[in-house]
Amino acid sequence: MAAFPKNFLWGAATAAYQVEGAHNEDGKGLSIWDVFSHLPGTTYQNTNGDVAVDHYHRMQEDVALMAEMGLQSYRFSISWPRLLPNGRGEVNEAGVKFYSDLIDTLLAHNIVPMITLYHWDLPQALQDEGGWEVRSTALAFEEYARLCYSRYGDRVKLWATFNETIVFIGHGYITGSHPPSVRDPARAIQACHQVFIAHALAVKAFHEMNIQGDIGFVNVLQPHTALTSSPEDRIATELADAIHTHWLYDPVLKGHYPEALLAQTQALWDVPRFEPGDDELLRNNICDFIGLNYYRRETVVANPGDTQIASNHNGEPNSGAEFGFKDLFKFVRNPDGVYTDWDWEIWPQGLTDGIMMIKERYGDIPMYITENGLGAKDPIIDGEIVDQPRIDYLQMHIDAMEKAMAQGADVRGYYPWSFIDLLSWLNGYKKQYGFVYVDHQQNLTRKRKKSFFWYQNVIATRGQQR
Ligand code: BGP
């Protein structure tokens, strides 16, 4: 195999709430996840990120492992309430220092930091004022972004504002399975609008402060395939593309919503409601790059009836994965598909197709694959973590990414999810993704998995051996 370009970044990703722990230490304020995960029955076996994998206290050890693996870039998120316990105003210097030390440690090992400003842990204080449904949260986000630029912008060149709006808005305001547990599509659309405004304000601030680097947005990349060739299923698939993809990508890459859908939501529910200047703000602040999180595709059918939303959070295969909107579309199991234990279809070709779809719709936008990985219960054989299925999964997806690059897509980096085993939001610690195993029975001791050594070699050979 040919080597990847020299400046291609081989990375790995995590997010603050899923690894850090220290949820109430050194002046950190509470986030909506600190509060939500403590409500009985909200997460798998009531797991939470109070301690997570204790990365906050073991940062040096974790970065040493990254360096040993040869990692070239590390994507992590900042906990907003660790920096601004009330969401705005008073700064918690101990929190600022934690990330400053992390960045310095990464750079000392030649690891390029990529920061995600928002990976779902909104300060609870802002939620209490209305959360993403009110404009004041978008303004607080700009203040938080400016703080991060001023403290880290001298050393960090890759920034993303938001991670996967479809997930935190969709689950927060439609299915109700994430905080703030609302079930109201109209409120979801308005909250999503404030997120786009917050993003645009943060991009504007980035340029005003003359930060030398690139700023982007991270979205789920989820190709949709019609189950049958019937006209009904085809239309349903187009609707899924419009709602789950175009609605989330157009505002940050084209600077406006898809017109037809916007006209429909405004006629139906009078949302999103624009404030004066919103149009221009979106139009003038599009992204330098787009981050793509790819795990699976969805198979789509028409949905004349109601959908019982059933999600698999226990890792028992075939225990349910259905989602849909009445009269629009529904996601169903592909009878020919290969699935993980959590009922996510493994479909590497979807990564090629997805990247090419983005290129076709948005032109030559630089892309990073900001997440991709296999959630599994890793086998331990004679004390070794033999996660061969993860190696197979990643290898097939690197192949798929390479195919898209060969067709001209400007993909600049690959960040498997995740560097280390961590908390899966609703699925606890049982669903593992990492190159590094964390022993929850033995004081959170770290152990290198088989995939650690495999990825080390992939990086060392620039993808030639995989
Ligand atoms: C993405 C999130 C990550 C991560 C990953 C795996 O949606 O950005 O934070 O959790 O999915 O999902 P899960 O943990 O549900 O398996």
Side-chain angles (χ1 to χ4, degrees):
M1 266 170 246
F4 277 67
K6 278 220 172 65
N7 54 358
F8 185 87
L9 291 174
W10 295 96
T14 66
Y17 183 69
Q18 299 179 273
V19 291
E20 286 178 6
H23 77 296
N24 60 0
E25 285 180 45
D26 292 346
K28 176 179 169 295
L30 292 181
S31 79
I32 53 174
W33 273 93
D34 293 318
V35 175
F36 175 79
S37 64
H38 279 255
L39 303 174
T42 52
T43 65
Y44 176 68
Q45 294 184 339
N46 297 318
T47 38
N48 62 54
D50 289 4
V51 177
V53 295
D54 199 31
H55 173 69
Y56 186 76
H57 296 114
R58 301 177 197 226
M59 181 273 280
Q60 295 285 347
E61 178 189 352
D62 289 343
V63 176
L65 282 164
M66 293 174 202
E68 182 187 327
M69 195 165 66
L71 211 66
Q72 296 172 342
S73 185
Y74 174 51
R75 172 177 181 246
F76 62 94
S77 76
I78 293 179
S79 160
W80 182 350
R82 201 181 282 293
L83 263 49
L84 293 162
N86 299 311
R88 64 167 81 82
E90 198 193 327
V91 175
N92 175 33
E93 289 299 337
V96 174
K97 182 174 179 327
F98 171 71
Y99 298 105
S100 188
D101 291 349
L102 169 60
I103 292 162
D104 285 344
T105 312
L106 291 168
L107 291 173
H109 287 99
N110 289 321
I111 301 171
V112 174
M114 179 194 270
I115 287 181
T116 310
L117 289 172
Y118 188 82
H119 204 125
W120 310 351
D121 43 358
L122 182 73
Q124 179 65 37
L126 295 180
Q127 184 59 51
D128 295 342
E129 295 175 11
W132 286 116
E133 291 178 80
V134 293
R135 181 57 55 103
S136 53
T137 298
L139 299 176
F141 182 77
E142 182 191 344
E143 178 181 330
Y144 159 61
R146 284 181 182 268
L147 173 68
C148 293
Y149 304 153
S150 72
R151 302 304 184 93
Y152 312 131
D154 54 339
R155 289 161 287 164
V156 178
K157 307 292 166 218
L158 288 174
W159 298 79
T161 52
F162 286 88
N163 180 70
E164 296 188 348
T165 306
I166 184 86
V167 177
F168 73 89
I169 294 295
H171 287 314
Y173 293 87
I174 294 177
T175 70
S177 61
H178 281 201
S181 304
V182 172
R183 289 189 181 82
D184 183 334
R187 287 173 66 182
I189 290 169
Q190 189 58 27
C192 194
H193 183 65
Q194 306 295 12
V195 170
F196 291 137
I197 294 301
H199 162 78
L201 289 169
V203 172
K204 186 163 173 270
F206 191 80
H207 295 132
E208 281 170 2
M209 289 175 66
N210 200 18
I211 305 299
Q212 299 304 303
D214 291 334
I215 187 152
F217 194 91
V218 173
N219 262 327
V220 174
L221 180 64
Q222 181 178 278
H224 303 111
T225 306
L227 179 68
T228 74
S229 54
S230 72
E232 293 81 6
D233 285 356
R234 264 209 332 270
I235 292 168
T237 305
E238 281 166 20
L239 283 165
D241 279 343
I243 295 170
H244 274 245
T245 304
H246 304 160
W247 191 265
L248 286 311
Y249 283 80
D250 283 14
V252 299
L253 292 180
K254 292 185 168 195
H256 59 80
Y257 287 96
E259 283 92 359
L261 200 55
L262 178 65
Q264 280 170 355
T265 61
Q266 288 185 327
L268 197 57
W269 293 310
D270 198 25
V271 285
R273 290 181 298 278
F274 280 61
E275 291 188 15
D278 282 6
D279 265 325
E280 203 190 342
L281 193 63
L282 292 178
R283 201 171 44 245
N284 292 340
N285 292 288
I286 60 176
C287 293
D288 296 326
F289 70 86
I290 187 81
L292 307 172
N293 291 354
Y294 179 75
Y295 290 90
R296 55 173 162 174
R297 73 164 163 184
E298 291 289 358
T299 298
V300 183
V301 294
N303 188 24
D306 272 327
T307 311
Q308 280 298 350
I309 295 172
S311 295
N312 172 349
H313 294 304
N314 57 24
E316 300 303 329
N318 221 344
S319 65
E322 280 216 341
F323 173 85
F325 290 109
K326 188 174 176 334
D327 296 327
L328 299 177
F329 63 85
K330 174 157 102 166
F331 299 149
V332 294
R333 199 175 171 91
N334 169 13
D336 303 321
V338 177
Y339 281 82
T340 73
D341 286 351
W342 278 264
D343 296 326
W344 291 21
E345 189 184 0
I346 300 176
W347 179 250
Q349 179 64 35
L351 181 54
T352 316
D353 297 348
I355 293 171
M356 296 316 291
M357 177 267 288
I358 297 297
K359 182 171 158 55
E360 191 172 317
R361 187 171 175 92
Y362 303 105
D364 285 325
I365 179 85
M367 304 178 216
Y368 292 86
I369 308 305
T370 34
E371 289 181 30
N372 175 232
L374 177 70
K377 297 164 246 171
D378 294 337
I380 304 186
I381 304 171
D382 295 333
E384 298 302 314
I385 302 101
V386 191
D387 56 340
Q388 188 59 43
R390 173 161 307 106
I391 295 173
D392 297 343
Y393 179 100
L394 295 174
Q395 188 245 309
M396 290 186 294
H397 286 80
I398 295 171
D399 291 352
M401 172 177 68
E402 190 184 40
K403 263 205 263 174
M405 290 167 74
Q407 292 171 56
D410 183 6
V411 184
R412 300 187 176 185
Y414 179 66
Y415 296 74
W417 183 267
S418 49
F419 170 65
I420 191 167
D421 283 350
L422 40 66
L423 174 70
S424 171
W425 302 91
L426 298 179
N427 314 291
Y429 294 93
K430 178 173 164 186
K431 191 177 188 185
Q432 297 161 265
Y433 279 97
F435 294 116
V436 174
Y437 171 75
V438 176
D439 192 339
H440 286 264
Q441 312 312 320
Q442 292 230 17
N443 188 33
L444 305 177
T445 305
R446 276 55 172 151
K447 205 168 170 164
R448 298 154 188 82
K449 299 185 193 178
K450 187 176 181 191
S451 60
F452 180 98
F453 300 104
W454 170 81
Y455 195 48
Q456 186 179 49
N457 190 49
V458 172
I459 299 171
T461 62
R462 299 209 332 261
Q464 257 180 312
Q465 289 171 22
R466 57 181 192 256

